[in-house]
Amino acid sequence: MAWFRRSKASIETVPQRKETPDGMWSKCDGCGEIIHRKQLELQFFTCIKCNYHFRIGSKEYLTILVDEGSFKEMDRKMRSTDMLDFKDTKQYRDRIKDSIRKTGLNDAVRTGLGKINGIEVVVGAMDFSFIGGSMGSVVGEKVARAIDKARKSKRPLIIVSSSGGARMMEGALSLMQLAKTSARLAQLSDAEIPYISVMTDPTTGGVTASYAMLGDINIAEPGALIGFAGPRVIKQTIGKDLPEGFQRAEFQLEHGFVDMVVHRKEMKETITKLLRLIWE
Amino acid sequence: MPKAVIEFEKPIVELEQKIDEMRQYSERLDISGEIKILEEKVEELRKAIYNGLTRWQKVQLARHPDRPYTLDYINTIMTDFVELHGDRCVRDDKAIVGGFARLEREIVMVIGHQKGRDTKSNLYRNFGMPNPEGYRKALRLMKLAAKFGKPIITMLDTPGAFPGLEAEERGQAESIARNLFEMSHLPVPIIVVIIGEGASGGALGIGVGDRILMMENTWYSVISPESCSSILWRSWDFKEQAAEALKLTAPDLLAQGIIDRIVPEPLGGAHRDPVQGAEILKGILLEELKKLRKVRIHKLIEKRIEKFGKMGEWEE
């Protein structure tokens, strides 16, 4: 039996840590800095200390890119169907429902008309939070329609990508979205209308192997992971650790697959400058 | 006699061996009656087994080591094949072959993935997994075909584009994207045939065309059943379920509106009678080429883009 005994609890145990008001503070994945939401917004969701670019949704990106009040969304209601009756550990239609509920989005891309410093454009931005930004029939079709709209209304096209690749739960139909979107881009190109592709973290798989890499001008955000195969798969294949910076935006610039790496706070001005040079 | 035997083929192969043995005795003994009975039995067994294959078993058939590859088809049904090499940038990718050839009276550009038969040739062919220079070689050859007004036939058979370090450095994604973009408005007829494995972007990278044909015992999907299992089930053990869920066989893809036509194979698969299998394909290729020849080029391109435009399902 213990001869020492604490007579009473002298150290108060905190029953539960006080939570900071929901979502007010964010921790930087790059350097660990704690940043207030307001400040983060002012910094275009990048870290003041290390320039780390936070993953943001289409709503935030379009606020950064498009003139206030000028965005008109297209095909907002389009939703995926579980056409293959796909079931892994979860039925696909339930996965869609849950994602819709959690994110308030209908699928992984938002497209529409808008203005960038007064220049009329068709613009799209992806949401990584919706099933990893994966491209199924809805993403493919919305992007294809955005391209058509750009061609028919003679407006430049800007697409901000963020995706893990094609959506497995729609099988080969997902794969065909690569061909669908690329074919439409060929038509757009034949009509001599500019397309600027912006790649954010991460842009991999089927989206990179179709519209993300097909910009007349390809822009990447600093540090963004951009590639075809995922780093884990490559590591498995070659059985070695991957070099520092592999598949990052700067690596893609070095190897000639993006025209420039642009900080998010300069994105709008860079796109404006480019459009004024090639379009206006 | 096939060199390699898949589990579900075993009862058939065993029976066939028995018949062979009996034939040797039949010189001394009259057992032709018994042989006949066994032959009928093996035929029934074949029908029962091959008509009831699961999706995973079809994947196994598509990967059968005795299955004919691109060069086998070229050598069986085409003449005057002249292989052309290199992407004019980096090197010659051995996982994709291509060149001009004659198919009866038609002169075509034929391009396909190429696997090896044994360890040595598989290393040489990189197991049929192209690097970016493979796709760029294919595009160079397709543009050559367009320049001289020759139709293009592509044959798809790959476990995927190679996921290597150098492949990424040289732009695997860009090379595939570029091919999809260019193939969609190439001014010559394009026929695509899935002859084995159609794994994702690595297959589609030479797979945009006016007619998409799929051989009976092949698969085509966004991912292989194994990789799908490892990602969605977080284990390699659910490949059978993944194959079922992905709906990746020829009848599945016909129902999904992705392919236009299934090319029948000899009972048991193309490897059971490679020559017959190739002849069936030849007949269908000629038939399809004749149809495509009648369509004006600008109409053909319009229809091609529309064809892929229709793929997918959604509600709004």
Side-chain angles (χ1 to χ4, degrees):
Chain A
M1 199 196 271
W3 52 269
F4 56 89
R5 195 180 293 147
R6 192 180 281 169
S7 54
K8 61 175 183 189
S10 57
I11 303 168
E12 246 178 80
T13 51
V14 183
Q16 213 171 12
R17 250 183 76 202
K18 270 191 185 164
E19 288 285 326
T20 49
D22 195 33
M24 288 302 284
W25 295 91
S26 300
K27 191 177 169 191
C28 171
D29 279 344
C31 66
E33 179 80 359
I34 307 286
I35 313 165
H36 193 269
R37 171 119 193 144
K38 277 272 154 57
Q39 195 176 19
L40 204 56
E41 263 182 50
L42 287 171
Q43 289 294 323
F44 302 88
F45 300 93
T46 62
C47 176
I48 21 168
K49 263 202 167 167
C50 73
N51 263 335
Y52 173 79
H53 282 50
F54 284 71
R55 283 182 186 173
I56 55 173
S58 60
K59 198 173 152 230
E60 288 79 16
Y61 220 103
L62 292 170
T63 308
I64 291 169
L65 222 51
V66 180
D67 298 349
E68 209 181 326
S70 73
F71 184 69
K72 282 193 200 74
E73 191 171 350
M74 298 169 10
D75 308 309
R76 194 178 57 81
K77 288 183 180 157
M78 204 184 284
R79 284 186 183 190
S80 285
T81 63
D82 186 2
M83 69 288 267
L84 300 186
D85 194 17
F86 192 101
K87 190 166 187 267
D88 47 271
T89 51
K90 197 172 175 180
Q91 184 77 32
Y92 178 43
R93 70 178 71 89
D94 299 329
R95 209 182 272 274
I96 300 169
K97 259 189 228 153
D98 290 353
S99 297
I100 290 174
R101 195 167 36 78
K102 262 187 230 157
T103 60
L105 301 160
N106 280 333
D107 214 299
V109 73
R110 197 193 296 265
T111 54
L113 301 169
K115 284 183 187 172
I116 294 181
N117 283 320
I119 307 167
E120 293 193 323
V121 296
V122 173
V123 60
M126 298 188 73
D127 282 285
F128 191 75
S129 61
F130 197 98
I131 319 185
S134 56
M135 169 162 65
S137 299
V138 172
V139 170
E141 181 64 16
K142 282 173 89 166
V143 168
R145 287 188 193 179
I147 299 167
D148 273 351
K149 190 77 188 173
R151 183 167 56 91
K152 286 175 185 159
S153 65
K154 292 196 165 41
R155 290 162 176 239
L157 173 73
I158 290 114
I159 298 176
V160 181
S161 295
S162 170
S163 169
R167 191 173 293 170
M168 279 173 281
M169 300 78 145
E170 293 184 27
L173 286 168
S174 290
L175 182 64
M176 295 306 136
Q177 306 309 312
L178 277 70
K180 179 197 275 192
T181 53
S182 303
R184 291 292 184 41
L185 283 175
Q187 283 185 312
L188 187 74
S189 182
D190 289 342
E192 296 173 357
I193 292 168
Y195 163 42
I196 298 175
S197 170
V198 179
M199 290 173 251
T200 70
D201 187 59
T203 301
T204 58
V207 168
T208 321
S210 59
Y211 57 86
M213 268 295 163
L214 291 172
D216 293 311
I217 292 156
N218 290 340
I219 304 178
E221 282 193 346
L225 182 81
I226 299 161
F228 181 63
R232 225 177 318 149
V233 179
I234 299 168
K235 203 177 148 181
Q236 262 174 22
T237 311
I238 62 171
K240 273 189 282 190
D241 279 335
L242 299 170
E244 181 81 19
F246 180 67
Q247 288 184 316
R248 297 286 164 187
E250 298 72 16
F251 166 99
Q252 296 296 353
L253 181 70
E254 191 56 35
H255 287 93
F257 293 100
V258 300
D259 291 278
M260 55 191 101
V261 176
V262 176
H263 194 286
R264 197 178 283 160
K265 69 181 177 204
E266 282 147 17
M267 197 60 82
K268 185 170 180 173
E269 288 317 309
T270 306
I271 290 172
T272 307
K273 196 167 153 190
L274 282 167
L275 288 178
R276 287 195 177 133
L277 284 168
I278 56 178
W279 186 245
E280 281 208 315
Chain B
M1 184 70 51
K3 282 168 277 169
V5 180
I6 307 173
E7 197 58 38
F8 62 80
E9 291 181 311
K10 266 186 187 159
I12 298 168
V13 174
E14 276 165 13
L15 219 66
E16 281 172 342
Q17 277 168 344
K18 197 165 248 172
I19 294 170
D20 277 352
E21 276 168 31
M22 284 171 77
R23 282 220 178 89
Q24 283 168 4
Y25 292 123
S26 70
E27 283 165 21
R28 280 168 283 152
L29 289 160
D30 183 27
I31 45 171
S32 58
E34 283 91 336
I35 292 177
K36 209 180 160 206
I37 292 167
L38 274 181
E39 272 174 345
E40 278 165 13
K41 209 173 157 192
V42 83
E43 193 60 28
E44 267 172 44
L45 194 63
R46 272 194 207 118
K47 276 184 191 155
I49 290 177
Y50 290 117
N51 292 332
L53 292 181
T54 64
R55 291 188 171 92
W56 170 249
Q57 286 171 329
K58 288 222 173 174
V59 171
Q60 288 178 297
L61 262 192
R63 292 172 179 166
H64 201 291
D66 295 334
R67 222 182 140 76
Y69 299 144
T70 297
L71 285 173
D72 299 315
Y73 285 110
I74 293 174
N75 292 332
T76 314
I77 61 176
M78 295 180 184
T79 53
D80 288 345
F81 174 58
V82 181
E83 191 179 348
L84 304 172
H85 296 272
D87 68 338
R88 301 292 190 266
C89 289
V90 180
R91 64 175 168 209
D92 184 44
D93 192 330
K94 312 293 192 296
I96 288 185
V97 295
F100 287 112
R102 277 177 212 277
L103 180 69
E104 295 272 315
R105 261 176 256 161
E106 293 270 3
I107 295 168
V108 298
M109 169 59 76
V110 56
I111 297 165
H113 298 103
Q114 182 64 41
K115 290 178 176 173
R117 288 262 168 236
D118 49 28
T119 311
K120 199 178 157 199
S121 62
N122 255 320
L123 286 172
Y124 180 72
R125 297 289 179 191
N126 200 28
F127 298 86
M129 293 186 283
N131 276 281
E133 49 271 27
Y135 297 104
R136 292 184 183 127
K137 166 166 78 175
L139 184 58
R140 182 178 77 84
L141 300 188
M142 288 189 269
K143 286 189 166 171
L144 213 54
K147 187 176 184 174
F148 300 114
K150 307 298 179 213
I152 297 164
I153 295 171
T154 68
M155 298 187 182
L156 276 49
D157 187 13
T158 180
F162 187 59
L165 193 103
E166 288 164 350
E168 293 292 321
E169 286 177 344
R170 294 197 287 268
Q172 190 71 284
E174 194 276 344
S175 72
I176 292 170
R178 187 65 51 200
N179 279 17
L180 306 182
F181 180 96
E182 295 292 349
M183 287 182 90
S184 73
H185 64 172
L186 219 55
V188 284
I190 306 174
I191 299 178
V192 177
V193 198
I194 296 114
I195 59 166
E197 295 190 85
S200 200
L204 185 66
I206 55 167
V208 176
D210 305 298
R211 284 283 189 285
I212 317 294
L213 315 177
M214 196 164 165
M215 295 197 64
E216 197 181 336
N217 297 303
T218 62
W219 70 272
Y220 193 15
S221 196
V222 68
I223 191 166
S224 73
E226 288 93 335
S227 303
C228 181
S229 162
S230 89
I231 296 170
L232 291 180
W233 281 266
R234 296 175 199 283
S235 148
W236 294 96
D237 304 333
F238 295 86
K239 49 188 191 287
E240 285 94 344
Q241 285 95 318
E244 285 300 315
L246 284 166
K247 303 215 165 44
L248 42 57
T249 65
D252 291 329
L253 269 82
L254 192 67
Q256 290 161 34
I258 292 172
I259 61 162
D260 300 293
R261 190 169 174 177
I262 298 173
V263 181
E265 292 182 22
L267 191 64
H271 62 289
R272 304 283 299 191
D273 192 342
V275 174
Q276 196 203 343
E279 287 303 323
I280 298 171
L281 177 62
K282 181 183 180 179
I284 291 176
L285 284 174
L286 286 168
E287 212 181 292
E288 295 291 347
L289 268 178
K290 206 173 155 190
K291 279 191 241 168
L292 291 176
R293 282 277 195 209
K294 288 181 189 152
V295 189
R296 283 171 180 244
I297 288 302
H298 74 273
K299 193 86 200 155
L300 196 73
I301 294 171
E302 205 181 292
K303 278 185 161 176
R304 192 185 302 155
I305 294 174
E306 206 182 286
K307 175 189 183 65
F308 285 90
K310 280 185 194 149
M311 292 179 191
E313 222 184 281
W314 56 86
E315 53 185 37
E316 49 189 321

